[in-house]
Amino acid sequence: MDMENYPGGSTSEPNITNCSGPPAGSLQGVQFKDGMAVVVFVLGFLTLLTALINGAVIMAICTTKKLHLPANYLICSLAVTDFLVALLVMPISIVYITMETWSLGQVVCEMWLSMDMTCCTCSILHLCVIALDRYWAITKAIEYARKRSARRAAIMVGIVWVISVFISMPPLFWRQRSSSGSLQQCIIEHDHLGYTIYSTLGAFYIPMIIILILYYRIYNAAKSLYQKRGSSRHLSSRSMGRQNSVDHCRVSHTFCVSDLSNSDPTLATDKLSTNIRIPSFDADMERQDEQDQICTSRERKAARILGLILGAFIVCWLPFFLKELLVGLQVLWPSQLLSDFLTWLGYINSLINPMLYTSFNDDFKLAFKKLLKRK
């Protein structure tokens, strides 16, 4: 999401388009070119890796019938969005950084900036929707299982795209008017403080707060279910054992813990309802002791998964949006190198997302293995 000046412009005066660089024949220029070759290679590798991994997630969900579930449709939509970032945003950013000036024309500039903001915002909002889906799945399991459908997932994805477009669209109304002569920069200027606040709140700060609240509640709900399961050794009633098994399925699916062979918690619940056997009192006591240890381990694993998801999201995007807000408030004037680094740190979230949201699920692992065998 490029909302900062790129090479060739001064960050303190965003309207200046005069470009300057070291002499081509100087030693400094040669060293810069050598360093730029390394930068282009690294950024190109990250772009290719982002496209391949997100493409693999899309292929896995499309070709594996077992993954055709509403929860996975949201993950597929996230992968499509991140794939668009790798296909339409990251390559042009590499060209821009390499050439140090914009030479692709006004139309491409408008398209690139719009796709950049829309896709990156949409990727962030997808994380918010996935968190909301998991929150409902664990706190309103029975009620939400009836409402959870492909149509509902499609509506949620549609809302995310509409919000993203409305966040990225306003600059089009004033960006085109300012073009005169040859275009040397392709940037979103920070001379509209109201838009800077509006876009950063809508694209990151509000979704971040929602995600933190939802995952905090998810973890608390899961923890209480684990504790409830552990305390049931004192109440070895048959109905209690069945309910705890159902609760375990909800928790396991919510955190994508790969101890369930089925991705759908509803189906897992149905299997438990029909196949569960009632053990004797002594056997139940022994199993409860073992399951106490298992539940404690799963609770730690759930905490680690949540930590990874939230940590990756915040580390990748918080520095960028903090910088955007400070630049809009004219408190900070970052260097070219820092601006590019923070922008690409945000792009890397599109590489991390598919790995975090699929690597803890056995069904995805199996689908990836089948894809590799086909290749």
Side-chain angles (χ1 to χ4, degrees):
M1 185 181 291
D2 179 23
M3 298 171 68
E4 182 52 62
N5 290 358
Y6 262 76
S10 170
T11 55
S12 59
E13 298 182 15
N15 289 323
I16 295 177
T17 58
N18 197 13
C19 297
S20 61
S26 67
L27 180 61
Q28 184 183 1
V30 173
Q31 290 175 344
F32 182 73
K33 288 180 181 178
D34 291 342
M36 185 58 70
V38 175
V39 170
V40 170
F41 175 79
V42 172
L43 297 185
F45 177 74
L46 291 174
T47 301
L48 179 62
L49 202 60
T50 303
L52 289 176
I53 293 177
N54 282 288
V57 172
I58 297 168
M59 287 287 292
I61 294 175
C62 290
T63 59
T64 306
K65 191 174 181 181
K66 202 173 185 181
L67 295 175
H68 292 177
L69 302 165
N72 292 334
Y73 294 152
L74 294 177
I75 293 175
C76 184
S77 182
L78 172 64
V80 170
T81 306
D82 290 332
F83 182 80
L84 291 176
V85 173
L87 191 67
L88 303 176
V89 179
M90 295 167 77
I92 297 180
S93 177
I94 295 174
V95 173
Y96 195 5
I97 291 174
T98 305
M99 298 181 69
E100 299 186 348
T101 184
W102 185 261
S103 60
L104 301 178
Q106 178 73 28
V107 176
V108 178
C109 175
E110 298 296 333
M111 292 175 60
W112 177 57
L113 289 177
S114 298
M115 288 300 299
D116 188 348
M117 292 187 62
T118 303
C119 290
C120 290
T121 301
C122 192
S123 178
I124 293 171
L125 293 180
H126 266 84
L127 304 183
C128 190
V129 167
I130 290 172
L132 189 63
D133 176 73
R134 292 179 173 184
Y135 173 71
W136 284 334
I138 195 172
T139 58
K140 301 177 181 179
I142 299 175
E143 180 185 349
Y144 187 57
R146 297 168 186 165
K147 298 178 181 178
R148 211 177 197 182
S149 63
R151 182 174 176 273
R152 188 184 182 93
I155 292 173
M156 294 169 78
V157 169
I159 292 172
V160 162
W161 276 101
V162 169
I163 294 174
S164 301
V165 169
F166 273 97
I167 289 174
S168 63
M169 187 174 59
L172 291 173
F173 294 103
W174 64 76
R175 206 159 53 209
Q176 291 176 339
R177 299 172 190 169
S178 63
S179 61
S180 58
S182 61
L183 186 67
Q184 294 184 343
Q185 286 184 318
C186 183
I187 60 171
I188 295 177
E189 298 172 355
H190 292 83
D191 53 352
H192 291 77
L193 178 59
Y195 174 71
T196 300
I197 295 174
Y198 160 77
S199 60
T200 53
L201 283 176
F204 177 73
Y205 290 109
I206 293 176
M208 180 186 69
I209 293 170
I210 293 174
I211 289 172
L212 289 174
I213 292 172
L214 288 175
Y215 277 126
Y216 174 75
R217 292 186 176 181
I218 286 171
Y219 180 72
N220 279 343
K223 190 174 181 180
S224 66
L225 289 175
Y226 282 131
Q227 290 172 351
K228 176 182 173 183
R229 184 175 176 82
S231 64
S232 66
R233 67 179 181 271
H234 301 296
L235 304 168
S236 57
S237 65
R238 298 180 179 183
S239 61
M240 197 68 169
R242 180 176 177 272
Q243 181 60 42
N244 285 332
S245 299
V246 173
D247 289 341
H248 164 65
C249 274
R250 286 161 52 195
V251 175
S252 297
H253 176 74
T254 301
F255 289 114
C256 297
V257 177
S258 56
D259 55 357
L260 286 177
S261 60
N262 200 299
S263 295
D264 191 349
T266 308
L267 296 178
T269 301
D270 292 339
K271 288 182 179 180
L272 281 166
S273 300
T274 55
N275 296 333
I276 193 163
R277 295 179 180 179
I278 301 170
S280 65
F281 181 81
D282 293 335
D284 183 65
M285 290 292 288
E286 291 177 3
R287 290 182 184 180
Q288 286 298 339
D289 290 336
E290 294 176 3
Q291 289 176 355
D292 285 345
Q293 297 177 357
I294 294 172
C295 286
T296 302
S297 175
R298 283 170 181 158
E299 188 178 327
R300 292 198 196 103
K301 189 173 183 180
R304 284 198 301 269
I305 294 171
L306 284 185
L308 287 172
I309 291 173
L310 295 175
F313 170 64
I314 292 173
V315 167
C316 287
W317 281 119
L318 181 59
F320 173 82
F321 281 98
L322 187 61
K323 182 261 298 182
E324 286 301 307
L325 193 58
L326 293 177
V327 171
L329 294 170
Q330 297 186 356
V331 175
L332 178 70
W333 292 270
S335 65
Q336 163 198 317
L337 181 62
L338 179 61
S339 297
D340 291 339
F341 174 76
L342 294 182
T343 299
W344 272 84
L345 186 62
Y347 290 160
I348 289 174
N349 192 236
S350 294
L351 169 63
I352 297 173
N353 282 336
M355 294 188 287
L356 285 179
Y357 284 91
T358 61
S359 59
F360 300 103
N361 189 295
D362 274 346
D363 291 339
F364 274 107
K365 291 177 183 177
L366 218 62
F368 292 145
K369 288 179 182 177
K370 288 181 181 177
L371 283 177
L372 289 174
K373 287 181 181 178
R374 288 177 188 173
K375 296 295 180 182

